[in-house]
Amino acid sequence: MREVAIIGIGQTKFGELWDLSFREIGIQAGLAAVYDANVASEDIEALYVGNMSAGRFIEQEHVAALIADYSGIARDNIPATRVEAAGASGAVAIRQGYFDVASGLHDIVVVGGAEKMTDVPDAQGAAIQDSAADQQWECTFGATFPALHAMIAQRYMHDYGVPREHIASVSVKNHKHGALNPKAQFQKEIKLETVLRSALVAEPLRMFDCAPLSDGGAAVVMCSMDKAWKYTDSPVKILASSQSSDTLALHHRSTITSFGATKAAMRKLTKRTGVDVSQINLAEVHDNYTISELLALEDIGFFPAGQAGKATVDGQTQIGGRVAVNTSGGLKARGDPIGATGVAQIVELVTQLRGEAGKRQVSNAKYGLAQSVGGTGSTVVMHLLGVA
Amino acid sequence: MREVAIIGIGQTKFGELWDLSFREIGIQAGLAAVYDANVASEDIEALYVGNMSAGRFIEQEHVAALIADYSGIARDNIPATRVEAAGASGAVAIRQGYFDVASGLHDIVVVGGAEKMTDVPDAQGAAIQDSAADQQWECTFGATFPALHAMIAQRYMHDYGVPREHIASVSVKNHKHGALNPKAQFQKEIKLETVLRSALVAEPLRMFDCAPLSDGGAAVVMCSMDKAWKYTDSPVKILASSQSSDTLALHHRSTITSFGATKAAMRKLTKRTGVDVSQINLAEVHDNYTISELLALEDIGFFPAGQAGKATVDGQTQIGGRVAVNTSGGLKARGDPIGATGVAQIVELVTQLRGEAGKRQVSNAKYGLAQSVGGTGSTVVMHLLGVA
């Protein structure tokens, strides 16, 4: 397969975008990426859109055709395909686009992700998120998506003797990073007490342990490496893509304090690239809940099991630490418009690897790792990017 | 890219499957394909699932992970991805699976499609179908999915002076074929009067002009051609895949009596394979409404514009005619569980090309053409299969 580069990135501000519809969000992100890449609209040969639940959020399926239409690229009859894997929807879109170009099918492809979550009442939005888990055997019996993650957190604290404050410190760190990102939904630093005293969601998780409901879009332009230099002086290479699955329901796992799919995806990534976790100091991981970031960091191999909380408290995961994790603010502070999230991770890594991250710039990052999760670890998609 | 073969097919009966849940439908189809292919579960390296709207039909997104889980293949952490393009969801899944194997990413891949539509009231099911069209600029103003197709039919009759009976004859022919298919939802022949006197849906379309709401699943096992002979004596080759898009809303088109996306997809298919339409005598096309089949046959090039109705009346599209169209019974009689439909077309073509279609066997078919449509021609996916 061919080498693939990302030559353009775009993102809307994440947040409650009352004045933008779903299609406007998608197009704003897509056009920003296309302008950034310096490609003409007629150069684009295919479109992939990551989206979890436009059907339930705005009663519109078929959203890839919608975006192709309103961005004007449908007039060239290019293929436009939506892909979905709950929270990992944007990441699977990145993956499909990557293999599209890598296989030689197309030379220039746009991958976008978008979600418009605030057109429904908050409780309904939360219920839609539940559909990432097993409706028939988890949600029907009252297990909401936050409740499932709360069980993970409880077990994690019990097994490793981790204090509650360690988990909460993930939120503090990500808000600190988010304060440096002008596209983030929340751009204010918070204190540990803010997390610990916020409204209870599902013991032990509180409001500030949970990513918000968000509107937003993100997009990238991919190009075969050999043509990339024609468009940009700073292409970023996709070194590898891996995707793994696990049972949909938590109760079918042998452990819930570790995601087997993350471990499997990381093994594949290491095998394909030869890059060891010790060489990586920049990562965007799926912190839909604070506990999720700790599991991610341990399953990837940055820290031993039960140690990621302590590492977070010690500043090892903030900018300047051992590995800068979620420099964008993560799902917690940057926001989590579900379908856009996996794409936004890539946008952040490219921004960093280009050296364009301003106040949140990580120095000496040769690689950028993205880990995106669908459900409670049922789908895990990982990408490793590198300076070309 | 490598040559790709289909080495296994499976399908549930289509219909109102009250005793089967979505996951059971998906797994029943998938297992049938896996048994037919003679592959072991651990040989399967990836899963693609076509599904339009499980989120709204059963409040469950993330359905590829669900099927991977319940079929037992998630234990090997294989990637499982859902793709969606409304009515063409199954066909885009076939396409993603095809390129997955063609590119060399994986050797053996399962592609399935499923939909469970009868767990919601009929009116709600119909409203969910509307989300294939433009919610904001079509459906909000009262244009339902059948109404949009009714406008196409009105304009078609007006432009070409085609009598109503010609359109209705598509339904009669497809029910005749469906009567020969033990997996079809409707296995009874009907008379022209049955169509013309059935309940009015949207003038001129009546109940028997419209495909039903259906439950069902279909699946295929794909394999690189070089390994296919290890598993089967009758592999069927995927000669090419093409996908095109058009505006989501009908009112943005210069014509509504022809789908530009079908024409574009057919051009690509002809260019890639060198196979001319005159060489094809077997096709499954997207007859979600009777009028849709006529547009498909004309846009593909089987008949001149305005002539497909007459050709249908003359028996040129039935088994034994110039081209046997929808030998499975089509969406009208076989049934239309949306995400499964594009996969079921491939299942039928493989059955025919293997010579296993029994009473509905088409003789001397060298090629089989599948055309699947999302929305009112906003996405069109086509595949050409051939005897290996």
Side-chain angles (χ1 to χ4, degrees):
Chain A
M1 297 220 210
R2 303 191 293 182
E3 288 194 323
V4 177
I6 293 172
I7 60 169
I9 52 174
Q11 192 195 313
T12 68
K13 186 177 181 312
F14 283 6
E16 298 190 0
L17 309 179
W18 298 107
D19 53 345
L20 294 176
S21 68
F22 175 86
R23 65 188 74 191
E24 290 165 332
I25 288 169
I27 287 157
Q28 200 179 94
L31 286 184
V34 167
Y35 288 138
D36 183 53
N38 253 318
V39 296
S41 120
E42 54 269 29
D43 294 335
I44 300 165
E45 296 170 272
L47 173 69
Y48 292 89
V49 174
N51 171 265
M52 174 174 170
S53 205
R56 295 181 78 192
F57 282 119
I58 59 165
E59 300 189 353
Q60 177 74 63
E61 307 285 3
H62 211 186
V63 293
L66 171 72
I67 299 297
D69 177 5
Y70 273 76
S71 61
I73 54 179
R75 64 166 182 258
D76 294 322
N77 296 123
I78 67 162
T81 304
R82 171 204 177 190
V83 287
E84 187 266 331
S89 295
V92 285
I94 292 282
R95 180 175 161 88
Q96 294 302 318
Y98 166 62
F99 283 117
D100 184 310
V101 178
S103 68
L105 182 60
H106 298 114
D107 289 336
I108 298 183
V109 163
V110 174
V111 178
E115 208 88 42
K116 174 72 178 166
M117 303 173 71
T118 65
D119 280 0
V120 297
D122 286 357
Q124 193 181 336
I128 293 170
Q129 288 187 300
D130 291 348
S131 61
D134 192 326
Q135 277 295 324
Q136 193 173 321
W137 294 106
E138 291 183 323
C139 305
T140 301
F141 300 102
T144 63
F145 204 48
L148 292 167
H149 286 86
M151 286 198 287
I152 294 172
Q154 293 284 25
R155 185 78 207 189
Y156 180 88
M157 292 195 296
H158 175 270
D159 282 2
Y160 297 114
V162 170
R164 168 72 180 98
E165 292 73 15
H166 285 194
I167 298 177
S169 67
V170 170
S171 181
V172 177
K173 184 264 296 175
N174 286 346
H175 273 267
K176 193 174 170 187
H177 289 173
L180 305 174
N181 181 359
K183 297 278 177 66
Q185 181 162 359
F186 303 119
Q187 300 177 28
K188 282 186 183 167
E189 294 197 30
I190 58 167
K191 292 181 178 168
L192 191 63
E193 289 66 38
T194 314
V195 186
L196 299 175
R197 289 176 192 165
S198 59
L200 188 64
V201 175
E203 183 70 32
L205 302 179
R206 291 170 179 266
M207 181 73 88
F208 276 81
D209 288 286
C210 309
L213 297 171
S214 317
D215 305 325
V220 305
V221 179
M222 292 183 189
C223 179
S224 58
M225 197 65 220
D226 56 331
K227 292 196 178 171
W229 299 104
K230 192 178 133 191
Y231 296 100
T232 176
D233 293 332
S234 53
V236 170
K237 219 188 284 191
I238 301 178
L239 299 170
S241 168
S242 66
Q243 181 181 347
S244 291
S245 54
D246 203 340
T247 65
L248 196 61
L250 271 188
H251 54 245
H252 284 139
R253 312 258 179 92
S254 57
T255 173
I256 63 168
T257 57
S258 166
F259 286 167
T262 301
K263 289 185 169 179
M266 187 61 192
R267 272 196 304 272
K268 291 187 225 177
L269 217 56
T270 306
K271 195 177 164 194
R272 280 175 205 162
T273 60
V275 175
D276 187 78
V277 68
S278 63
Q279 300 170 263
I280 300 168
N281 66 350
L282 172 68
E284 291 280 308
V285 305
H286 202 85
D287 62 315
N288 53 345
Y289 300 91
T290 44
I291 182 66
S292 312
E293 177 163 322
L294 300 184
L295 262 55
L297 296 177
E298 295 169 10
D299 291 331
I300 290 168
F302 284 118
F303 305 102
Q307 299 296 311
K310 175 75 165 50
T312 305
V313 171
D314 292 347
Q316 294 189 49
T317 61
Q318 67 183 19
I319 296 166
R322 149 75 185 90
V323 51
V325 177
N326 287 329
T327 56
S328 65
L331 282 63
K332 177 66 200 81
R334 181 194 61 224
D336 181 22
I338 307 175
T341 287
V343 182
Q345 290 184 328
I346 302 298
V347 168
E348 176 67 12
L349 294 179
V350 170
T351 305
Q352 289 282 355
L353 292 172
R354 283 182 182 174
E356 296 173 353
K359 289 180 185 170
R360 63 185 196 283
Q361 183 64 48
V362 174
S363 49
N364 300 321
K366 192 174 167 195
Y367 303 108
L369 180 72
Q371 181 248 20
S372 187
V373 179
T376 49
S378 315
T379 297
V380 173
V381 182
M382 297 183 71
H383 287 96
L384 188 67
L385 309 188
V387 179
Chain B
M1 295 218 211
R2 302 192 293 181
E3 288 192 323
V4 178
I6 295 172
I7 60 169
I9 52 174
Q11 191 194 313
T12 67
K13 187 177 179 312
F14 283 7
E16 299 190 357
L17 308 179
W18 299 108
D19 53 345
L20 294 176
S21 67
F22 175 86
R23 66 188 75 192
E24 290 165 333
I25 288 169
I27 287 157
Q28 201 180 93
L31 286 184
V34 166
Y35 288 137
D36 183 53
N38 252 319
V39 297
S41 121
E42 53 269 29
D43 294 334
I44 300 165
E45 296 171 273
L47 173 70
Y48 293 89
V49 175
N51 170 265
M52 174 174 172
S53 205
R56 295 180 78 192
F57 282 119
I58 60 164
E59 299 189 353
Q60 176 73 63
E61 307 284 4
H62 211 186
V63 292
L66 170 72
I67 299 297
D69 177 4
Y70 273 75
S71 62
I73 55 180
R75 62 164 185 258
D76 293 322
N77 297 124
I78 67 161
T81 304
R82 171 203 176 190
V83 287
E84 187 267 330
S89 294
V92 285
I94 291 283
R95 181 176 160 87
Q96 294 302 317
Y98 166 64
F99 283 116
D100 185 309
V101 178
S103 69
L105 183 59
H106 299 113
D107 289 335
I108 298 183
V109 164
V110 174
V111 178
E115 207 85 45
K116 174 70 178 167
M117 302 173 73
T118 65
D119 280 359
V120 297
D122 287 356
Q124 192 180 335
I128 293 170
Q129 287 186 299
D130 291 348
S131 60
D134 192 326
Q135 277 294 324
Q136 194 172 321
W137 295 106
E138 291 183 322
C139 305
T140 302
F141 301 102
T144 63
F145 205 47
L148 292 166
H149 287 86
M151 287 198 286
I152 294 173
Q154 293 284 24
R155 184 78 208 188
Y156 180 87
M157 291 195 296
H158 175 269
D159 282 2
Y160 298 112
V162 171
R164 168 72 179 99
E165 291 73 14
H166 286 193
I167 298 178
S169 67
V170 170
S171 182
V172 178
K173 184 265 297 175
N174 285 346
H175 272 267
K176 192 174 170 185
H177 289 173
L180 305 173
N181 181 359
K183 297 278 177 66
Q185 182 161 0
F186 302 120
Q187 300 177 28
K188 281 186 186 168
E189 293 198 30
I190 58 167
K191 292 180 179 168
L192 191 64
E193 288 66 39
T194 315
V195 186
L196 299 175
R197 289 176 193 164
S198 60
L200 187 65
V201 175
E203 183 68 32
L205 302 179
R206 291 172 179 266
M207 181 72 89
F208 276 79
D209 288 286
C210 310
L213 296 171
S214 317
D215 306 327
V220 305
V221 180
M222 292 183 190
C223 179
S224 58
M225 196 66 221
D226 56 331
K227 292 198 179 170
W229 299 104
K230 192 178 132 193
Y231 296 100
T232 177
D233 293 331
S234 54
V236 170
K237 220 189 280 191
I238 301 178
L239 299 171
S241 167
S242 66
Q243 181 181 348
S244 290
S245 55
D246 202 340
T247 65
L248 197 60
L250 270 189
H251 55 244
H252 284 139
R253 313 258 179 92
S254 56
T255 174
I256 63 169
T257 56
S258 165
F259 286 167
T262 301
K263 290 186 169 179
M266 187 61 194
R267 273 196 303 274
K268 291 187 226 177
L269 217 56
T270 306
K271 194 176 163 195
R272 280 175 204 160
T273 59
V275 176
D276 187 77
V277 68
S278 64
Q279 301 171 260
I280 301 169
N281 65 350
L282 171 69
E284 290 282 307
V285 305
H286 201 85
D287 62 317
N288 52 346
Y289 300 91
T290 44
I291 181 66
S292 313
E293 177 164 321
L294 300 184
L295 262 55
L297 295 178
E298 296 170 9
D299 292 330
I300 290 168
F302 284 118
F303 304 102
Q307 299 297 310
K310 175 75 166 53
T312 306
V313 171
D314 292 346
Q316 294 190 47
T317 60
Q318 66 182 19
I319 296 165
R322 149 74 184 91
V323 52
V325 177
N326 287 329
T327 55
S328 65
L331 281 65
K332 178 65 200 81
R334 181 193 61 224
D336 181 23
I338 307 176
T341 288
V343 181
Q345 290 185 326
I346 302 298
V347 168
E348 176 66 12
L349 294 178
V350 171
T351 305
Q352 289 282 356
L353 292 172
R354 282 183 184 174
E356 297 173 352
K359 290 181 187 170
R360 64 185 194 284
Q361 183 66 46
V362 174
S363 49
N364 301 319
K366 191 174 169 194
Y367 303 109
L369 181 72
Q371 181 248 21
S372 186
V373 178
T376 49
S378 315
T379 297
V380 173
V381 182
M382 296 182 71
H383 288 95
L384 188 67
L385 308 189
V387 179

